[in-house]
């Protein structure tokens, strides 16, 4: 008894001097504090899913989603859209000769005229797009091949572009402005639209080239390095991109507010697309008055200055005319998705209601019936 008592005291003394003990010699517990959060005693809502709560939810979702989907689908279908391919791969195409004889070394670009007819008038403002197919702007190296500091007007980056722009960083021992693969592949076809009157007169359609870029891109992300009126001096000592026919300060020499890095065609192109088939806004055809349609039905001619090759990557080029609504351009997917989800929920609600009506009143007694 004395030995055991002595050993217990010795053990208590040994533990009291061990690290982790309090000043008074009490053992510090490793248990979590006795709080509602640490002991997981916080109040929680645990819904009990019953037929009375689940079935109404299915029907409510169905009754809400189906009308919304129908509204979106009808709105999308009311948007008028016309699309024409002018790649020129077929021998019957008016742009066939241009597509076959294209060369970056041509000093005189090839031109072709594409005739088409509009079966219905376009009443409101019309947005003119160019579309490309099989062009992967979402490629990782392609997306990174740019210098945002240079595009923002940084003079140091103008003379010393980012290494991300390789192999389109320098040309003839001079920095390229703008550098990178995105800028080098700028879409540069010129599209002009003409209306053929019933008497055969060729009337040009006015195309607005400003207001096609995002406001934040135009006024925040893209800036010229210096005064817009003297861009030739600002870009002195730099070279144009390899595939460009003219330097960046000659993109729009008639309007200094739309020239250089702040050229809206250039800004629109620099916003890369997520899918290999895409369209980008090219021009806006504004409605003149409420008495006449913006584009009446009839015959039109699109004159193309063929500068952009697509045969190397088996791509296609097209021109799109489209109106818009409160939900944007023509896109039936959202309406179809709402209708599908609403219909599935409503159908499941009916099926579950039948099952509940047939089997919901079964005898739940554990006794085995005779």
């Amino acid at each position: 008894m004395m030995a055991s008592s002595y050993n217990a005291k010795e053990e208590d003394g040994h533990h009291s001097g061990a690290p982790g003990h309090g000043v008074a010699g009490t053992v510090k517990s490793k248990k979590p504090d006795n709080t509602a959060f640490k002991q997981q005693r916080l109040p929680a809502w645990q819904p009990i899913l019953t037929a009375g709560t689940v079935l109404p939810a299915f029907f409510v979702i169905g009754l809400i989603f189906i009308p919304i989907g129908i509204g979106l689908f009808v709105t999308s279908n009311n948007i008028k859209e016309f699309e024409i391919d002018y790649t020129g791969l077929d021998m019957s195409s008016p742009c066939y000769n241009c597509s076959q004889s294209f060369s970056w070394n041509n000093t005189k670009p090839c031109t072709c005229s594409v005739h088409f007819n509009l079966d219905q008038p376009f009443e409101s403002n019309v947005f003119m797009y160019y579309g490309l197919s099989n062009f992967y702007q979402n490629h990782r190296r392609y997306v990174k091949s740019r210098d945002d500091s240079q595009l923002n007007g940084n003079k140091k980056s103008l003379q010393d572009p980012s290494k991300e722009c390789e192999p389109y960083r320098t040309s003839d021992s001079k920095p390229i402005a703008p550098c990178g693969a995105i800028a080098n592949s700028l879409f540069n076809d010129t599209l002009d639209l003409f209306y053929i009157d019933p008497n055969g007169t060729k009337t040009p359609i006015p195309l607005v080239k400003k207001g096609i870029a995002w406001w934040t891109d135009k006024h925040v992300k893209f800036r010229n390095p210096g005064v817009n009126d003297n861009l030739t001096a600002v870009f002195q000592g730099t070279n144009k991109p390899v595939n460009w026919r003219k330097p960046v300060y000659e993109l729009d020499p008639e309007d200094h507010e739309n020239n250089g890095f702040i050229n809206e065609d250039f800004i629109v192109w620099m916003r890369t697309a997520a899918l290999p088939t895409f369209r980008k806004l090219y021009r806006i055809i504004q409605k003149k008055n409420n008495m006449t349609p913006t584009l009446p039905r009839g015959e039109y001619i699109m004159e193309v200055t063929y500068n952009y090759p697509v045969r190397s990557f088996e791509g296609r080029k097209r021109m799109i005319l489209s109106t818009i609504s409160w939900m944007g351009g023509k896109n039936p997917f959202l309406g179809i998705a709402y209708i599908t989800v609403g219909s599935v929920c409503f159908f499941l609600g009916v099926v579950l209601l039948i099952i509940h009506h047939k089997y919901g009143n079964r005898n739940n007694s554990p006794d085995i019936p005779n």
Side-chain angles (χ1 to χ4, degrees):
M1 290 293 294
M2 292 179 62
S4 61
S5 175
Y6 175 79
N7 292 338
K9 290 180 179 180
E10 184 180 26
E11 187 176 356
D12 289 341
H14 174 71
H15 284 293
S16 63
H21 285 67
V23 178
T26 58
V27 178
K28 185 176 180 181
S29 175
K30 294 183 179 180
K31 294 181 180 180
D33 296 336
N34 189 21
T35 61
F37 177 75
K38 293 187 176 181
Q39 296 297 334
Q40 300 183 9
R41 294 196 302 266
L42 291 174
W45 179 55
Q46 296 179 344
I48 300 175
L49 300 179
T50 62
T53 59
V54 174
L55 292 178
F58 274 106
F59 286 115
V60 168
I61 293 175
L63 293 176
I64 292 176
F65 274 45
I66 291 176
I68 293 177
I70 293 175
L72 293 174
F73 186 75
V74 171
T75 302
S76 177
N77 284 345
N78 289 335
I79 297 174
K80 298 178 181 179
E81 188 171 292
F82 177 83
E83 181 175 322
I84 186 170
D85 189 300
Y86 70 95
T87 310
L89 297 181
D90 301 328
M91 296 185 63
S92 59
S93 173
C95 294
Y96 177 77
N97 293 331
C98 291
S99 65
Q100 298 297 317
S101 62
F102 180 86
S103 173
W104 290 111
N105 298 324
N106 289 346
T107 56
K108 184 179 180 180
C110 183
T111 59
C112 55
S113 298
V114 181
H115 293 253
F116 62 92
N117 289 279
L118 292 181
D119 297 330
Q120 54 183 344
F122 284 62
E123 299 292 343
S124 58
N125 289 345
V126 180
F127 294 82
M128 185 178 183
Y129 302 85
Y130 62 85
L132 292 175
S133 299
N134 205 35
F135 192 111
Y136 288 82
Q137 276 199 313
N138 57 356
H139 192 280
R140 182 180 63 85
R141 291 192 62 187
Y142 181 88
V143 172
K144 292 176 61 179
S145 185
R146 60 188 293 165
D147 188 344
D148 289 322
S149 179
Q150 184 192 66
L151 298 174
N152 195 245
N154 189 306
K155 292 186 177 180
K156 182 180 178 181
S157 298
L158 184 67
Q159 299 298 329
D160 186 20
S162 170
K163 294 182 179 179
E164 296 287 355
C165 291
E166 294 288 359
Y168 302 104
R169 181 171 177 263
T170 60
S171 175
D172 297 332
S173 301
K174 291 183 180 180
I176 294 178
C179 70
I182 307 177
N184 185 68
S185 60
L186 173 68
F187 181 85
N188 59 349
D189 277 359
T190 302
L191 309 177
D192 294 311
L193 205 59
F194 298 90
Y195 172 64
I196 307 301
D197 294 330
N199 57 8
T201 306
K202 186 178 178 182
T203 305
I205 304 296
L207 305 176
V208 179
K209 59 185 176 182
K210 297 186 67 175
I212 61 175
W214 289 20
W215 188 93
T216 51
D217 289 348
K218 174 77 173 180
H219 297 91
V220 179
K221 295 180 64 176
F222 291 80
R223 295 178 182 176
N224 282 326
V227 184
N228 291 343
D229 296 332
N230 193 17
L231 292 180
T232 304
V234 171
F235 287 98
Q236 189 73 27
T238 64
N239 261 343
K240 65 179 180 64
V242 178
N243 290 340
W244 284 25
R245 296 181 180 272
K246 52 188 177 181
V248 66
Y249 51 84
E250 292 182 1
L251 291 179
D252 191 355
E254 299 177 356
D255 186 359
H256 67 273
E257 294 183 355
N258 191 43
N259 200 16
F261 289 158
I262 59 174
N263 177 266
E264 297 204 24
D265 286 325
F266 171 70
I267 293 174
V268 169
W269 177 259
M270 293 299 292
R271 181 170 285 277
T272 55
L275 299 174
T277 298
F278 59 87
R279 64 175 65 177
K280 292 179 182 289
L281 185 58
Y282 180 69
R283 294 291 183 266
I284 301 175
I285 306 173
Q286 295 181 343
K287 186 176 180 62
K288 295 181 180 179
N289 54 67
N290 296 326
M291 302 301 296
T292 59
T294 308
L295 293 178
R297 63 167 58 92
E299 183 182 358
Y300 289 83
I301 294 178
M302 181 180 65
E303 292 189 354
V304 181
T305 304
Y306 206 101
N307 295 322
Y308 203 75
V310 293
R311 292 181 59 195
S312 59
F313 55 90
E314 298 181 353
R316 300 191 73 90
K317 299 188 292 187
R318 62 194 188 280
M319 184 275 297
I320 305 105
L321 298 173
S322 175
T323 59
I324 63 171
S325 66
W326 59 269
M327 60 174 289
K330 191 178 185 68
N331 184 13
F333 171 78
L334 191 60
I336 295 174
Y338 268 91
I339 294 174
T340 302
V341 173
S343 301
V344 169
C345 289
F346 196 84
F347 175 75
L348 289 177
V350 173
V351 171
L352 293 177
L353 180 62
I354 295 174
I355 295 175
H356 176 67
H357 179 73
K358 186 174 182 180
Y359 301 103
N361 297 324
R362 291 184 305 173
N363 184 13
N364 294 325
S365 174
D367 298 335
I368 299 176
N370 295 327

